[in-house]
Amino acid sequence: MFFANFIKAILLGIIEGITEWLPISSTGHLILANEFIGLKLSAEFMAMFNVVIQLGAILAVIYLYFHKLNPFSPTKNALEKRNTWTLWSKVVIAVLPSAIIGLPLDDWLDAHFYNFLSVSIVLIVYGIGFIVVEKRNKTKEPKCTDLNKFTYKAALIVGMFQVLALIPGTSRSGATILGGIMIGASRFVATEFSFFLGIPTMFGASALKIVKFLKDGNAFDLQGTVILLTGTVVSFIVSVLAIRFLMNYIKRNDFTFFGWYRIILGAILIGYWLINL
């Protein structure tokens, strides 16, 4: 049983690492994956596991962008350090809406929307959204092509879009990237800001899930600890590759492909749900 769970944790870590940063919903993919390769562990552990392995994905962002995110870097001049502090202050502003709204609604949203039908519908809706926005912007030049010129107002608006990602299937990166593009940011700027916004958001979400897991009387045994660490480490490694792929991809392509992918995945999930009624 332990070996089977270990292999499944690796597979789930791969899925998380790929889907966390591509705007295709890690939750939607994990729900589908858990249906076929779910860990033979408690439902409480799985609810915590699916969120906490995101820490690996976040550490990948910190690893890849450490210099850009480090205001204490000795190789930065005074202006660069000031710009870094400003970037972090914008991230803090952007994370406030989801923190204020998400904390009291976390359990309610999971209870009502963490299911095949809800996730499927959300996947399709945002898939259509990506296609429509990219079609609309095909002949438009972005207003903001420099992250340092991304305003506090823009950061707050993107933060409001992140609130939408509280509904499973939305995709945190998908909602925030889409929001950034809609208010005039380039794909590159919107995507980078989405990555950085994910750091406090996902650290907070992971901490919340761990606290709730322990508060409900659960505990980490040896198997659970190894499984969680395995999924997290694999998620980190795969996330590094996924982030590098995405940043290269958007230099030459838009997000239309991901829109169609979401629609197809949503349709598959609805079909599977109907078969199993």
Side-chain angles (χ1 to χ4, degrees), residues 64 236-246:
L64 289 172
F236 166 78
I237 295 170
V238 176
S239 286
V240 170
L241 301 176
I243 290 169
R244 285 174 173 167
F245 163 78
L246 183 60

Side-chain angles (χ1 to χ4, degrees), residues 204-218:
S206 297
L208 179 63
K209 288 296 183 183
I210 291 174
V211 169
K212 286 185 177 181
F213 179 75
L214 296 174
K215 188 177 179 181
D216 290 340
N218 301 294

